Each structure stands twice: as structure tokens, then as C-alpha cells.
Amino acid sequence: MCIRDRANSVLATERLAKDLFPTKNVTARKIGITYGLMNIFAAVMGGVPVCHGCGGLAGMHFFGGRTGGAPVIYGLFYLLVGTLGVGALGSMVKLFPLALLGVILLFEAVALILLTADVAVHRPSFYLCLLCALVAAYLPNGYVVALVAGTLLYWVGDRGTSRMGGEH
């Protein structure tokens, strides 16, 4: 798993959880420990490493999941399908319409885009957000580059406006 995947699965999920559920005490440490334990369990059971990252959280929230019960129900469904349909699991997965998957992913993307609304009102922050998104998407190890460069650029810009007495 590359650094970009770990950052999406832990750091971005922590930030999104704090945005969506500000009263909950969600930390990167708790998320990391939970993912780690589940991946050890998956490996023992013959599974593969998994995480949903912030996209899964955004999707669950967008489609109405507001409590810890939503991912539990989701996970139990997959356990049931995996247990009852051991030989037919591959056939069952092929029955899922790809167009429906595309629509679900589109709604997840919209949910994540809507979270940038507070940035869009301040033009320099919006351009910085857009630049970081492009760097993260298209450069090798772009997430790390975007994280460091975006933080530095924001910090430099913030100090510049603070010295001039401006608000952002």
C-alpha cells in the first residue's frame, strides 16, 4: 500500500469524520488501529487488506448512514453473501450492474465536492485547493507533494494576509 492510500484511508477519513460529526472524538490513531486490526483479522481469514477511506464515509453519510450501525449492516451483508455464496460469489459480483456502481461513485464524489464549498468563496483558497487536487491526482506520490506544498503555500499566504491585517 503506498503512502497515498494510507493517507486517504486514515488522514482524510479523520478530517471528513470531524467535518461530518464534530461532536465525535475521531482521531487518526483510532482509525489506524481499527484498520490495522481488521486487516490482521482479514489476513488470518485469507482475505486481502481493505479500507474505504473518506470516499466510503462520504458515501455512507450521503446515502443516510449517520450512526455506527450503517457500516455494521453493510459488513454483515458482505459476511452473509460471502458465507452463503462461497462458490457463487464471483458470479454474484458479476450480476451487480456497473452503471449502478458508477452512479454510487458519482454521488460519493458529489458529497466530497460539496465539502469544499467553504473554500470556494475565497478565491485564493479555492485555487490552492484545485492545485493540490491536481497535484495529488497526477503526480507520482502526488498526495504527499500536495500535502506538503499545499500546507506551505497556505501557511505563507496566511502569514502574508495576517501581516497586512486582512481576513481570509
Side-chain angles (χ1 to χ4, degrees):
M1 184 183 289
C2 72
I3 188 95
R4 181 171 141 185
D5 295 333
R6 286 183 294 220
N8 175 50
S9 66
V10 177
L11 300 178
T13 305
E14 175 195 25
R15 180 71 259 157
L16 180 60
K18 286 181 178 181
D19 286 347
L20 296 176
F21 307 104
T23 60
K24 301 292 182 189
N25 183 21
V26 179
T27 65
R29 181 179 179 85
K30 286 180 182 178
I31 294 170
I33 289 171
T34 303
Y35 283 166
L37 291 174
M38 287 309 299
N39 282 317
I40 290 170
F41 178 73
V44 169
M45 300 301 289
V48 295
V50 295
C51 88
H52 285 294
C54 65
L57 177 58
M60 288 268 188
H61 188 271
F62 189 85
F63 287 107
R66 301 290 192 276
T67 67
V72 170
I73 292 168
Y74 185 68
L76 288 173
F77 170 74
Y78 277 107
L79 282 174
L80 182 68
V81 169
T83 304
L84 298 179
V86 175
L89 186 58
S91 301
M92 292 169 67
V93 169
K94 289 178 185 174
L95 292 175
F96 191 83
L98 290 180
L100 183 58
L101 176 60
V103 170
I104 291 170
L105 293 175
L106 174 67
F107 280 111
E108 283 185 12
V110 168
L112 290 170
I113 289 169
L114 291 174
L115 292 168
T116 65
D118 60 330
V119 176
V121 297
H122 184 251
R123 201 173 290 268
S125 295
F126 175 73
Y127 289 136
L128 180 59
C129 183
L130 185 61
L131 174 68
C132 289
L134 291 171
V135 167
Y138 294 108
L139 286 182
N141 294 318
Y143 184 84
V144 175
V145 174
L147 182 68
V148 172
T151 301
L152 290 174
L153 288 170
Y154 179 80
W155 183 74
V156 167
D158 188 41
R159 288 180 49 97
T161 48
S162 295
R163 276 190 242 142
M164 293 187 291
E167 295 247 349
H168 53 215

